[in-house]
Amino acid sequence: MFSWSPPPPGPLDKLFQYIDAHQDEFVQVLKEWVAVESVSGQPVPRFRQELARMAAMAADQLQRLGAGVDVVDLGSQQLPDGQSLPLPPIILAELGNDPKKPTVCLYGHLDVQPALRGDGWLTDPFTLAEVDGKLYGRGTTDNKGPVLAWINAVSAFRALDQDLPVNVKFILEGMEEAGSVGLEELVRKEKDRFFSSVDYIVISDNLWISRRRPALTYGTRGNSYFTVEVKCRDQDFHSGTFGGILHEPMADLVALLGSLVDSSGHILIPGIYDQVAPITAEEIQKYKSIDLDLEEYRNSSQVEKFLFDTKEEILMHLWRYPSLSIHGIEGAFDEPGAKTVIPGCVTGKFSIRLVPHMNVSVVEKQVKQHLEAVFSKRNSSNQMAVSLVMGLQPWVAKTNDSQYLAAKRAIRTVFGVEPDMIQDGSTIPIAVTFQDIIDKSVMMLPLGAVDDGEHAQNEKINRWNYIEGSKLFAAFFLEVARLHASDARNLP
Amino acid sequence: MFSWSPPPPGPLDKLFQYIDAHQDEFVQVLKEWVAVESVSGQPVPRFRQELARMAAMAADQLQRLGAGVDVVDLGSQQLPDGQSLPLPPIILAELGNDPKKPTVCLYGHLDVQPALRGDGWLTDPFTLAEVDGKLYGRGTTDNKGPVLAWINAVSAFRALDQDLPVNVKFILEGMEEAGSVGLEELVRKEKDRFFSSVDYIVISDNLWISRRRPALTYGTRGNSYFTVEVKCRDQDFHSGTFGGILHEPMADLVALLGSLVDSSGHILIPGIYDQVAPITAEEIQKYKSIDLDLEEYRNSSQVEKFLFDTKEEILMHLWRYPSLSIHGIEGAFDEPGAKTVIPGCVTGKFSIRLVPHMNVSVVEKQVKQHLEAVFSKRNSSNQMAVSLVMGLQPWVAKTNDSQYLAAKRAIRTVFGVEPDMIQDGSTIPIAVTFQDIIDKSVMMLPLGAVDDGEHAQNEKINRWNYIEGSKLFAAFFLEVARLHASDARNLP
């Protein structure tokens, strides 16, 4: 923690006092939300039930604040294996519709990444545990904590009977970690209804680049997620009885995955860098001005050595260059112990993060051509099948509009510092969806710290970030209303 | 099924009739044994309890036949992670101790490979299911069915009140699928007690090379099972937040695994073929004489194309050349769905089947040197650790002694054919242990068909093999007693 100026007097003062005084209640609600195993990435009925329960809890919370809430049923999802599973609903909520106020639409998601105690969690992932001011649990930072911080901010206005200076809308989905199935279609459908009055869209679904300094995010990478299946037969083989005479699927798959990226992180798929936007002198300058303490970043990441040594190279390879990660293999032996098996059918999983001006369908074609060429050289009698299972474009915003200025001011007020102006290496596809369909300003206002470990074991949010973040959002409502009004006066 | 001569009159006649008449009871006992989830390869308390229960059931079965049974407690096993787990006991059982009779010691194991319904089993792996004369279930052929066939043979003599022509001993262990922990030590300890009177050791823990023709096995490959761990940190990473700046452990591991074997099955570890016994003209002749229907073998294996086109090449690559199989990866994303994770620490698993005159410790050294060289070229900042977790020497027997001749005769009597004289590509380490320590003739007398699928999904034993196998074992007792007596008369 570092020191900052005391909050100014006036309406904010009371809001901040209220939030401080009620912080244990806010943590308690987060605990109840974390206890719901709302995992979207694994298509099993139990998790879908948990997602439905999570949506009902969030709808209830918003209704108690006086919001008009619409729980939109998205129907079912057909899985590749023919199974049909219900999709979690999307919540559309609305507080106020004063035409003289700007309307801020807050996007968040209620689903989480998978988590198992046995993966290396020190506490049960679905039981919030506070240790030294850190609130551990799956979803604490990604994205239940930030969603609740927005709700906390609204509840402070409500509890103090202060007028909300903006109309607030919420759109909360349950499939973000699994490609936001059904969301884009709904946004299109609601473009001229729910979204017609929206001026600003805010997303709080990423992290700062530091443990202490807040950030504003104006760009994210896209993603293209691939599977490559190599099949000899459905059944596995005994490695004694068949070892030595088979084209083993694992040998093929390891060769395919090994052809994707070299030891310096350079992607080996021909043509993949052709589409990447050329770098400009101005851009290089921007990277130089970002305040990133490399040593701290390395320590908080617990990484001995990165692929690059300078701040500029590291940020560019996270934000403006594509990256390829191999996530794992399905169908092989993955448990502890020693099993002497030749897996009969294995599926490798990898993804490429996309940057301006890369295009999902061009990348898909390049990946397929490359893997087919590598496989064909092996003369294997196995069957190979490559699939793009998720394709999401990158996003970049303009940073000179009212909500970016309002957020900067709110950050100065609450934290006493200038934010880092950053991009994010991860993918928040809804940013592209909103920008393309609604055609309004999209901003990312994160409140998690760099070491929160979203998607990893022992995910956490600091109590400090959660509570100060709730204040930040309250301050943002006031600032954006003020700037929006002065914008309107300046109109010709 | 194919036709064979009717059984000859005499004591065998009655034994065979008894076995035929009681086959449903024999299947019922197999069903009870299969229902015990006696998995040894996954070190968890539940499976260890099942292994103890399995041992108690087998001991009870043998006691009811009048055997003297010693259930030998092996104490606990210390796992690499510090955990301590009880080892399953070893059963030493004894029926008869007439010094005028030869003593046959039957080795078997009560543990099984892991099996999950979700892996692709059509029926529950631990519920015996009979379909078209096939008895499906984990352990039916490997090795619970064959162990019970020996017990069935003894029980036929007992039920008919016929004198057992041999003294019979059983040694039944519960850790075969996990490296036979504790067995070698016990065999050494019992060398001058339990094993002092043993003349012949018989193992029925492998398969025929055909679906119909019985086989006798005189050699097996050894095995060296390796893990290679690549670690950046304990926690996983989000592939958006860190993709592009890390030496990703999966990229390192895929490169390491990809350096082991080429697409033609040739092992790429320098020096690995130097120890392999040179091939002789006599040996080539032996391979030529084996009656293997390649087309049938391919069909029953459900493999479109093997690495080799001729019978001789295929058998040599299963029996007299080493093979390398990659089994899987622990610690990476292995479930259905799309998780955007960079695994922080991953462990690849592979094994090399060993043949005469390869040596485990030489192979260990070669593997470690090779992987260290490959890893060092990558300049990765990750940590790599290679471990040999199981090392088992190959085995070859002399095929001209009494028990091999007795088995050939018994096969002729029951099946009306000459057996295939084969080796086995898989590893039955106890063969080497017995040969080295007890210094008596070791024979493998399999009774499972080539398509039984041990270690794979939908493992089965044919009812025909199980029941005729019980007859074979009864006939073997008579033949080995006769030949042993005539051997004794021919002594100078």
Side-chain angles (χ1 to χ4, degrees), chain A residues 9 45 70 103 132 147 237 252 267 373 376 417 463:
Chain A
D70 194 2
T103 299
D132 294 336
V147 167
F237 300 86
D252 282 341
I267 303 172
S376 131
V417 294
R463 178 186 273 257

Side-chain angles (χ1 to χ4, degrees), chain A residues 180-482:
Chain A
S180 293
V181 185
L183 183 70
E184 186 176 327
E185 198 186 324
L186 182 75
V187 173
R188 264 181 222 288
K189 218 164 84 185
E190 293 287 343
K191 181 183 173 183
D192 297 323
R193 200 192 65 90
F194 182 79
F195 292 105
S196 63
S197 59
V198 168
D199 299 292
Y200 306 107
I201 294 153
V202 186
I203 303 170
S204 301
D205 190 26
N206 61 320
L207 299 179
W208 301 346
I209 201 169
S210 139
R211 282 199 279 185
R212 298 165 307 174
R213 182 185 290 271
L216 271 178
T217 306
Y218 62 93
T220 63
R221 290 193 290 191
N223 200 7
S224 52
Y225 200 109
F226 292 90
T227 60
V228 47
E229 179 191 274
V230 181
K231 179 172 174 173
C232 176
R233 68 174 191 187
D234 284 321
Q235 275 187 310
D236 293 340
F237 300 86
H238 186 304
S239 69
T241 318
F242 284 94
I245 61 168
L246 292 182
H247 295 274
E248 300 192 7
M250 272 297 277
D252 282 341
L253 182 59
V254 157
L256 290 164
L257 296 177
S259 76
L260 296 171
V261 62
D262 72 12
S263 59
S264 67
H266 190 82
I267 303 172
L268 300 171
I269 298 159
I272 203 92
Y273 290 100
D274 293 353
Q275 313 164 65
V276 175
I279 193 154
T280 63
E282 183 197 14
E283 208 185 335
I284 294 174
Q285 204 44 53
K286 202 162 61 181
Y287 283 104
K288 282 199 174 138
S289 75
I290 287 172
D291 182 27
L292 175 73
D293 181 338
L294 256 193
E295 190 61 20
E296 179 195 298
Y297 182 55
R298 226 169 37 71
N299 286 341
S300 70
S301 313
Q302 300 166 53
V303 172
E304 196 180 298
K305 200 175 174 336
F306 290 119
L307 284 170
F308 308 97
D309 295 326
T310 68
K311 175 183 77 179
E312 292 79 3
E313 280 176 304
I314 286 185
L315 292 178
M316 284 193 245
H317 281 89
L318 285 176
W319 296 348
R320 65 114 46 237
Y321 289 121
S323 65
L324 190 149
S325 296
I326 303 168
H327 307 297
I329 295 172
E330 188 183 337
F333 178 57
D334 50 49
E335 297 182 61
K339 187 175 180 183
T340 50
V341 68
I342 299 173
C345 178
V346 287
T347 303
K349 301 183 181 185
F350 65 94
S351 66
I352 303 172
R353 296 279 165 178
L354 307 179
V355 295
H357 308 124
M358 292 173 86
N359 176 285
V360 169
S361 39
V362 175
V363 169
E364 179 182 10
K365 210 166 153 184
Q366 289 168 333
V367 166
K368 286 185 173 172
Q369 271 176 357
H370 170 71
L371 288 177
E372 273 153 22
V374 172
F375 189 66
S376 131
K377 274 196 202 115
R378 292 183 62 80
N379 280 317
S380 169
S381 60
N382 296 322
Q383 303 297 316
M384 181 191 73
V386 185
S387 302
L388 174 77
V389 294
M390 199 195 289
L392 305 163
Q393 288 294 133
W395 163 75
V396 183
K398 293 187 187 71
T399 56
N400 52 1
D401 78 358
S402 297
Q403 72 165 341
Y404 277 92
L405 298 178
K408 282 186 192 178
R409 287 191 189 178
I411 286 169
R412 248 178 263 135
T413 302
V414 176
F415 294 94
V417 294
E418 286 296 320
D420 281 325
M421 294 300 293
I422 64 174
Q423 298 185 59
D424 196 291
S426 60
T427 307
I428 303 157
I430 186 65
V432 182
T433 307
F434 285 131
Q435 192 153 296
D436 288 359
I437 302 173
I438 313 294
D439 198 21
K440 286 289 156 65
S441 167
V442 176
M443 178 179 72
M444 295 201 190
L445 179 53
L447 59 81
V450 68
D451 61 347
D452 276 2
E454 11 82 286
H455 290 216
Q457 300 93 331
N458 302 308
E459 177 183 345
K460 58 95 180 160
I461 194 166
N462 300 322
R463 178 186 273 257
W464 183 75
N465 290 56
Y466 179 49
I467 298 304
E468 298 307 306
S470 302
K471 294 179 191 170
L472 171 64
F473 293 164
F476 172 74
F477 287 147
L478 287 162
E479 295 290 356
V480 79
R482 198 179 308 164

Side-chain angles (χ1 to χ4, degrees), chain B residues 6 27 55 80 122 170-171 174 181 188 227 254 342 381 387 404 451 470:
Chain B
V27 170
L122 298 174
F170 280 91
I171 173 166
V181 185
R188 266 182 219 287
T227 61
V254 156
I342 299 172
S381 60
S387 303
Y404 277 92
D451 61 348
S470 302

Side-chain angles (χ1 to χ4, degrees), chain A residues 55-56 58-60 62-63 66-74 88-95 110 169-173 186 189-190 193-194:
Chain A
D60 183 58
L62 289 163
Q63 268 158 349
V69 177
D70 194 2
V71 178
V72 185
D73 181 15
L74 297 185
I90 290 179
I91 292 172
L92 299 177
E94 219 170 325
L95 291 115
L110 302 169
K169 294 195 172 197
F170 280 91
I171 173 166
L172 303 177
E173 68 153 322
L186 182 75
K189 218 164 84 185
E190 293 287 343
R193 200 192 65 90
F194 182 79

Side-chain angles (χ1 to χ4, degrees), chain B residues 194-215:
Chain B
F194 182 80
F195 291 105
S196 64
S197 60
V198 168
D199 299 292
Y200 306 108
I201 294 153
V202 186
I203 303 171
S204 301
D205 189 25
N206 60 321
L207 299 179
W208 302 346
I209 200 169
S210 139
R211 281 198 282 185
R212 299 164 308 174
R213 183 184 291 271

